[in-house]
Amino acid sequence: MDYDLHAAVPSLEDQITSYLGENPPASRAELCEALGVSRTTLGRAITKLIDAHAVISLKGEEKTGAGRPSTLFTSARSCAYSLGIVISRASFAGVLLNRGGDVLIAQSIPASHPINYLEALDATGALLLERARTRGVITDYVHTIGVGLPVPMGSNVSHSPHSPYPSRESVTDIISRRWKGSILIDTTARLCALSEALWGAGQGYPSILYVRLSNGIGASLVVSYHLSGGDLGFTGELGHMRVPDVHTPCACGKEGCLETLASIPALCAQCDVSSLSELARKVSNRDSRTLSILEHAMDAVGACCANAALLINPRAIIVAGELPEAIPQVSDMLAHGLERELIPAMKWNIDVVRAELGPLAAAQAAAYAATTTASSIKKEHEGTR
Ligand SMILES: [Zn+2]
């Protein structure tokens, strides 16, 4: 999917929800005056919001000093409008937001391994419903749902019966058992990148290369405030760029991919350790062989980032994932590799920064993306009438 990061012009419905969030309750006349619209235009938008259970009319209530009784409107603050669930190899995270974008429920649990993606989605959905019930959050009118999975979710991925990846249809089926809204499905890395670009380390940068170093290596691109999934949703497969002189077979079917050198499992295998925490311990003990393997691998990541930089000229590279979380030094190592591969004669100005946000922010970005995408599709349809 593509996401426009420019502050979108809020729709009248967005403006009404926002006004009611700050000035509850308000009459029709107050809303018309504050938002500069006619009663007819306001009426149409209010009807849509009431139908969507995002606004409640308090019929017959009178404001102090008013003449005849007038209907007052207030936002349905505890009614969930959008849902976001993001599955990563480390955690399952879910949020429920109201129409104004306030977080009503946020729940993150450590991932159980091995991960069955459909079971993870189902379990996270069930947990959100349970939390919502105990907190009095209404979940019957969820309109938009954003889902992130840590596997390629492009529209053209081939899913044979033996594929370890779930199909888009099976994801839709499992979500539709509990929720009725429109569903957006994307990769976890892209939704994490979206959250960083909107609210985290990427704020204010027009062009970003987001690199996620984890059990795999993924990336996302923001060019001129536009986060693009490409034609089929396959942008950012940085982990499958080939590294010179590396010939290890990759799960993708090729050999010598960056992932076979610099992913967490590849690093653990080269350093003869069984876990990331053991690897981090060796690094903090300044084990020279471990440091040398890590530097070599991050050099290769930096070189691949440089290739990407030569194409898109990012203003910032955001380094994210479990590897930099456990071993923060990898950002500097990557920056060295990057520097070496950029064209010296050009004055490059690329900030290499660490990601700031966690899985709940990615889940929030999923819900946000589902809502904004659904409303932009609606606007397109209205525009073609
Ligand atoms: Zn590969």
Side-chain angles (χ1 to χ4, degrees):
M1 292 295 298
D2 287 6
Y3 308 106
D4 195 349
L5 301 175
H6 274 302
V9 178
S11 66
L12 179 57
E13 290 154 55
D14 293 335
Q15 292 176 51
I16 293 170
T17 319
S18 166
Y19 184 85
L20 291 177
E22 288 164 17
N23 310 279
S27 68
R28 211 175 286 267
E30 282 172 325
L31 283 163
C32 286
E33 191 185 334
L35 305 175
V37 292
S38 70
R39 285 179 79 89
T40 314
T41 308
L42 182 90
R44 272 198 295 267
I46 284 277
T47 302
K48 278 187 200 169
L49 288 167
I50 290 173
D51 288 348
H53 301 271
V55 162
I56 299 165
S57 71
L58 309 169
K59 283 203 169 65
E61 295 212 11
E62 193 177 354
K63 290 203 97 177
T64 316
R68 64 191 174 86
S70 65
T71 303
L72 296 179
F73 300 100
T74 187
S75 60
R77 292 183 76 91
S78 57
C79 186
Y81 186 88
S82 59
L83 158 73
I85 298 181
V86 167
I87 305 299
S88 77
R89 289 182 175 88
S91 69
F92 308 154
V95 296
L96 283 165
L97 312 181
N98 65 18
R99 179 64 176 79
D102 303 320
V103 178
L104 301 174
I105 302 289
Q107 185 73 46
S108 171
I109 49 173
S112 49
H113 290 272
I115 301 175
N116 177 310
Y117 298 112
L118 297 180
E119 283 177 13
L121 286 175
D122 202 36
T124 312
L127 199 61
L128 282 172
L129 273 183
E130 192 187 309
R131 285 285 307 278
R133 205 169 296 131
T134 57
R135 292 206 174 183
V137 170
I138 301 160
T139 56
D140 298 333
Y141 310 110
V142 169
H143 277 65
T144 56
I145 298 149
V147 176
L149 291 170
V151 292
M153 293 307 299
S155 56
N156 203 25
V157 178
S158 110
H159 293 285
S160 71
H162 306 295
S163 166
Y165 304 150
S167 65
R168 298 178 76 84
E169 291 72 27
S170 58
V171 171
T172 302
D173 282 351
I174 208 93
I175 293 292
S176 303
R177 285 183 198 168
R178 287 202 169 84
W179 320 90
K180 295 286 168 267
S182 61
I183 304 171
L184 174 143
I185 305 168
D186 211 329
T187 59
T188 293
R190 195 166 298 125
L191 293 168
C192 291
L194 181 63
S195 71
E196 290 290 343
L198 288 169
W199 310 304
Q203 275 187 93
Y205 288 116
S207 297
I208 301 165
L209 173 63
Y210 171 95
V211 183
R212 192 166 179 82
L213 304 170
S214 191
N215 274 26
I217 296 179
S220 281
L221 312 172
V222 174
V223 178
S224 301
Y225 293 108
H226 192 80
L227 196 160
S228 175
D231 183 28
L232 299 172
F234 292 155
T235 58
E237 290 295 340
L238 195 82
H240 301 285
M241 288 184 176
R242 284 183 206 263
V243 180
D245 303 323
V246 175
H247 304 287
T248 315
C250 178
C252 74
K254 300 197 304 177
E255 62 175 43
C257 293
L258 183 64
E259 255 185 37
T260 67
L261 181 76
S263 64
I264 292 172
L267 288 167
C268 286
Q270 291 168 82
C271 297
D272 302 317
V273 295
S274 57
S275 67
L276 177 59
S277 53
E278 248 184 89
L279 185 71
R281 207 172 309 122
K282 282 202 168 193
V283 170
S284 62
N285 290 339
R286 304 215 51 79
D287 179 80
S288 59
R289 182 170 169 269
T290 305
L291 283 172
S292 153
I293 289 168
L294 200 57
E295 276 166 12
H296 176 66
M298 289 309 114
D299 227 39
V301 177
C304 287
C305 289
N307 288 337
L310 291 169
L311 285 175
I312 67 159
N313 187 13
R315 178 64 184 82
I317 294 179
I318 300 177
V319 186
E322 291 152 272
L323 185 65
E325 281 163 21
I327 308 172
Q329 298 94 314
V330 297
S331 294
D332 287 341
M333 294 176 185
L334 183 157
H336 278 128
L338 172 79
E339 188 88 8
R340 215 184 337 267
E341 291 295 324
L342 293 174
I343 301 169
M346 295 178 185
K347 197 173 181 309
W348 292 85
N349 189 20
I350 303 175
D351 296 340
V352 178
V353 294
R354 293 263 316 281
E356 293 175 357
L357 304 174
L360 285 172
Q364 198 173 341
Y368 169 88
T371 300
T372 51
T373 306
S375 67
S376 68
I377 290 169
K378 203 170 70 186
K379 275 182 200 165
E380 259 174 45
H381 284 192
E382 283 169 358
T384 55
R385 268 180 209 156

